[in-house]
Amino acid sequence: MFTYLNPTIRQRLIANGQLVRIDAQGRTISAELPAPEGELSINVLGPIPLPIKLGGLEIQARWYATVRSTELAKVEGLASELSRHGGQRLFSMLASSMAVNSVLVVGDGEARRNPLVRVHSSCLTGDVFGSQRCECGPQFVSALDRMHRDPDGGLLIYMSGHEGRGIGLWAKAATYLLQDAGENTYEANRSLGLPDDSRDFSDAAALLHYFVGSEPFRLLTNNPKKIADLNAFGLKHISPVRHVTGISPWNTRYLAAKRDWGHALSDVDLDVGQTQE
Ligand SMILES: [Zn+2]
């Protein structure tokens, strides 16, 4: 991480406006002073031009990397400690434990004219491996594609700490084994003593306050709870836009459990799998 390797680079990025700090309401606060204690503040680094090619989709996006000040300070403190004791090789281990969320801006997404927004929970198996046990991968690509085609563009917020609805990759792997033994996705979480959904949307809300302000936006989601959670953080003008894609025989049971839990999915949406089972 640049900040503890070279503080002068940090200063230069702040001076260039490429590193800013925002509070929970999305207001810019000083990135030079120590972060206010006990309050949410997020460091936002970017924009970084990102030419994206995913399957047939080819777009130019602007990437912002974002991290909570508390997490960054913890890692920086440990890193300088390690540095004094010659533990430089452990930097990568420290940095990898830090939840760095991302914002991808597509097209005119920053113009605040009712952009399309997707708050996407990271899913290694779906997004990267292309697993069809869930529909995350197709939802991710389709979200970027819809933003690219939309005259008002869009913003994709990629929540790196949301793996397995917040329980982490290790526990998610265990829930897959429990699901294969007959439990549904929510029952499997409960068998492990974990909540149905432990995702925290406060970072996403702060980033939306910052990038979209109090303007209305359209949210690509089938999950009413996600809208309610963002509403609770003061984002009041959200129009839900259904985002149904990637349904296959491999995930209809998983999606049926999501529907029964409250997701806006219909029998027709899930029909593809049921007819082939
Ligand atoms: Zn997934």
Side-chain angles (χ1 to χ4, degrees):
M1 290 295 293
F2 59 91
T3 42
Y4 42 81
L5 295 181
N6 189 342
T8 58
I9 292 178
R10 179 186 164 85
Q11 290 305 320
R12 196 171 75 208
L13 292 169
I14 292 171
N16 290 348
Q18 292 169 311
L19 174 60
V20 300
R21 184 178 285 156
I22 61 170
D23 66 11
Q25 283 75 44
R27 292 175 300 226
T28 310
I29 55 174
S30 171
E32 316 234 16
L33 301 171
E37 287 206 21
E39 290 168 35
L40 176 69
S41 74
I42 298 174
N43 301 275
V44 181
L45 187 63
I48 300 147
L50 214 61
I52 291 175
K53 190 172 182 186
L54 275 171
L57 175 70
E58 201 164 347
I59 59 170
Q60 295 288 334
R62 298 180 292 288
W63 173 43
Y64 293 84
T66 78
V67 68
R68 284 189 182 194
S69 298
T70 43
E71 296 215 16
L72 190 57
K74 202 163 57 191
V75 168
E76 282 178 342
L78 284 167
S80 62
E81 191 80 6
L82 285 172
S83 170
R84 279 199 294 279
H85 297 96
Q88 196 151 357
R89 70 193 163 80
L90 295 174
F91 279 4
S92 60
M93 281 174 66
L94 278 172
S96 70
S97 71
M98 190 168 63
V100 178
N101 299 317
S102 288
V103 181
L104 288 174
V105 181
V106 180
D108 227 5
E110 282 160 315
R112 301 184 168 196
R113 285 192 302 262
N114 201 16
L116 275 177
V117 171
R118 168 87 184 150
V119 179
H120 191 88
S121 298
S122 67
C123 176
L124 180 78
T125 49
D127 298 340
V128 180
F129 297 162
S131 160
Q132 297 181 79
R133 290 188 68 131
C134 57
E135 82 284 39
C136 302
Q139 279 190 321
F140 177 75
V141 177
S142 166
L144 291 178
D145 187 47
R146 292 176 79 169
M147 291 170 192
H148 175 57
R149 292 169 194 275
D150 195 285
D152 292 319
L155 300 111
L156 186 139
I157 301 184
Y158 194 85
M159 303 301 295
S160 64
H162 278 187
E163 185 71 57
R165 288 194 304 274
I167 61 174
L169 189 58
W170 185 248
K172 176 174 131 178
T175 64
Y176 274 6
L177 290 173
L178 292 173
Q179 285 169 43
D180 290 350
E183 299 187 10
N184 79 27
T185 178
Y186 298 103
E187 290 164 348
N189 276 34
R190 284 175 225 142
S191 293
L192 292 173
L194 297 165
D196 286 359
D197 191 336
S198 43
R199 288 176 292 183
D200 170 8
F201 287 100
S202 55
D203 288 55
L207 292 166
L208 285 167
H209 279 300
Y210 175 66
F211 282 96
V212 189
S214 53
E215 301 300 314
F217 61 87
R218 294 164 290 152
L219 187 69
L220 291 166
T221 187
N222 308 316
N223 182 0
K225 184 177 181 294
K226 200 182 274 186
I227 296 169
D229 283 0
L230 292 172
N231 282 159
F233 288 112
L235 293 157
K236 299 293 184 195
H237 308 291
I238 305 175
S239 316
V241 176
R242 265 163 53 84
H243 195 48
V244 179
T245 183
I247 297 175
S248 77
W250 300 101
N251 58 36
T252 41
R253 199 171 142 253
Y254 164 77
L255 290 170
K258 282 172 94 167
R259 178 197 57 199
D260 296 344
W261 196 78
H263 282 237
L265 293 163
S266 68
D267 288 342
V268 176
D269 293 331
L270 302 181
D271 199 34
V272 57
Q274 285 170 350
T275 54
Q276 293 176 35
E277 265 179 2

